[in-house]
């Protein structure tokens, strides 16, 4: 059981980043993470579950820890949500095979019929209200957080005998499409090359006592950053973990500037009062306005006070520059652009902004859209309906 697992099981919620974090818990997390780095397995298909022989993902963080960072760390969650919303803003479109432009010849009648059936399925992929938009949203988040996303294909059944309907090739015809909780899904390879068996190819580990198996044709498994020497895909959150920890530590340092002898932002002056008045005022302000969690509170008083801001010290300037460097790492890992993140400066022109938006589409959005198109075409059209 990992550190975050033990915290969650006790019903305790911890908050990362600027929201404040318990120092003892954070130090324990860093210590356990360092221990994983020093002694954890990094080769092969992953650490082996000795009880059931199922290869587990061998990564820097567990799946629960990755999702906790996504949900609680503002910068990580914001970047992933930005990419997710940009991807799903482009709706799926069913096209004839070989389609390149609207100038191509019209599809045949049989192709139009097939396209209509696929479009109808995409508009209403399951018996719930979960449409293709939410399915795609969840899948994109899983791709970025875990490195893979898992969908379930339920077969269409005959009303008479409730047996699955078959395609002309003998495969089960797709009836519904659902998201599976990807962080609980594991692969069950039959050989060292990672090839999967037709039956019981995937397993959902809901808890320690229960396992649910899926055949290969029941699942669409999408890999975002596949590796030749590992069974599981690489995770973008894994790649950025060190930067996330650095940003949290810097946030702690900056929020406790008195303990670190850093330069305060300014000096508060009182019109009258001796040492005791100043001391009481300092204690009052520290109690009710100190710390990042109380930032933004309004102070109302009938006394005259003055506020003199101080210039930032060299150390503060270095802190700001280091934060910029951390954001630059996010730009590299997630293939973002400064303009997309709202990072503007005097050198930014309209032409430069347009170039950055186009680069964001080409290097961030297009690979994910191409990935979706490939797996949905394979899993729904070719295998689910067996259309060419």
């Amino acid at each position: 059981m990992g550190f975050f697992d033990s915290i969650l099981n006790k019903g305790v919620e911890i908050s990362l980043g600027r929201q404040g974090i318990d120092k003892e818990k954070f130090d324990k997390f860093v210590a356990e993470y360092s221990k994983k780095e020093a002694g954890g397995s990094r080769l092969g298909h992953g650490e082996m579950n000795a009880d059931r022989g199922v290869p587990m993902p061998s990564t820097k963080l567990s799946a629960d820890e990755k999702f906790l960072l996504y949900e609680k760390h503002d910068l990580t969650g914001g970047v992933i949500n930005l990419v997710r919303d940009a991807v799903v803003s482009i709706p799926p479109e069913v096209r004839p095979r070989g389609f390149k432009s609207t100038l191509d010849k019209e599809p045949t009648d049989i192709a139009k019929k097939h396209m209509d059936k696929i479009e109808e399925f995409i508009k209403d992929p399951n018996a719930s209200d979960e449409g293709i938009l939410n399915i795609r949203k969840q899948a994109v988040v899983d791709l970025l957080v875990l490195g893979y996303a898992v969908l379930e294909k339920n077969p269409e059944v005959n009303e008479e005998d409730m047996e699955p309907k078959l395609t002309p090739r003998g495969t089960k015809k797709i009836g519904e499409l659902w998201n599976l909780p990807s962080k609980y899904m594991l692969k069950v390879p039959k050989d060292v090359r990672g090839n999967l068996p037709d039956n019981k190819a995937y397993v959902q580990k809901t808890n320690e006592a229960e396992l649910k198996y899926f055949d290969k044709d029941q699942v669409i498994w999408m890999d975002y950053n596949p590796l030749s020497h590992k069974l599981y895909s690489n995770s973008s959150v894994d790649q950025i973990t060190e930067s996330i920890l650095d940003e949290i530590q810097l946030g702690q340092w900056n929020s406790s500037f008195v303990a670190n002898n850093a330069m305060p932002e300014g000096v508060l002056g009182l019109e009258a009062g001796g040492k005791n008045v100043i001391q009481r005022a300092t204690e009052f302000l520290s109690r009710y306005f100190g710390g990042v969690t109380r930032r933004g509170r309004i102070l109302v008083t009938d006394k005259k006070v003055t506020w003199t801001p101080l210039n930032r010290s060299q150390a503060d300037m270095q802190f700001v520059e280091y934060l910029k460097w951390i954001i630059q790492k996010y730009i590299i890992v997630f293939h973002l652009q400064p303009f997309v993140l709202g990072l503007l400066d005097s050198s930014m022109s309209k032409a430069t902004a347009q170039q950055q938006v186009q680069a964001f589409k080409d290097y961030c959005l297009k690979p994910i859209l191409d990935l979706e198109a490939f797996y949905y075409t394979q899993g729904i059209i070719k295998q689910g309906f067996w259309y060419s």
Side-chain angles (χ1 to χ4, degrees), residues 36 49 69 86 95 111 118 150 164 189 198 200 213 236 244 266 272 302 310 330 345 356 361 365 375:
K36 284 183 182 180
N49 184 327
L69 288 176
R95 294 177 174 179
I118 297 167
V150 189
D198 292 334
K200 292 187 175 182
Y213 286 92
S236 298
I244 295 174
D302 59 351
L310 299 177
Y330 277 82
D345 55 37
Q356 291 192 9
K361 293 178 180 179
L365 303 187
Y375 281 109

Side-chain angles (χ1 to χ4, degrees), residues 197-325:
D198 292 334
N199 300 319
K200 292 187 175 182
Y202 306 98
V203 59
Q204 179 181 343
K205 186 178 179 183
T206 54
N207 55 52
E208 292 297 329
E210 183 181 352
L211 295 177
K212 181 180 179 181
Y213 286 92
F214 296 84
D215 294 340
K216 188 162 65 174
D217 62 357
Q218 287 181 274
V219 166
I220 298 177
W221 185 294
M222 298 187 285
D223 282 313
Y224 184 45
N225 293 312
L227 300 171
S228 61
H229 62 290
K230 286 188 177 182
L231 185 63
Y232 294 93
S233 186
N234 197 22
S235 163
S236 298
V237 171
D238 264 335
Q239 292 178 305
I240 208 73
T241 297
E242 282 83 1
S243 296
I244 295 174
L245 297 179
D246 287 346
E247 198 272 340
I248 294 172
Q249 288 177 314
L250 285 170
Q252 287 184 312
W253 184 91
N254 199 40
S255 64
S256 57
F257 59 84
V258 174
N260 289 283
N261 297 319
M263 179 74 75
E265 295 183 4
V267 176
L268 185 67
L270 304 177
E271 183 181 30
K275 182 178 179 180
N276 291 336
V277 174
I278 294 175
Q279 183 176 354
R280 289 201 304 271
T282 302
E283 292 175 354
F284 171 80
L285 292 171
S286 298
R287 184 182 303 116
Y288 293 102
F289 296 90
V292 293
T293 58
R294 300 181 179 91
R295 184 168 50 191
R297 287 186 174 184
I298 299 175
L299 174 64
V300 180
T301 178
D302 59 351
K303 304 296 184 182
K304 183 178 180 181
V305 296
T306 58
W307 172 255
T308 305
L310 299 177
N311 293 328
R312 283 187 298 192
S313 66
Q314 182 179 3
D316 293 326
M317 292 297 293
Q318 291 173 347
F319 173 82
V320 172
E321 290 301 318
Y322 193 73
L323 281 181
K324 291 180 180 178
W325 171 239

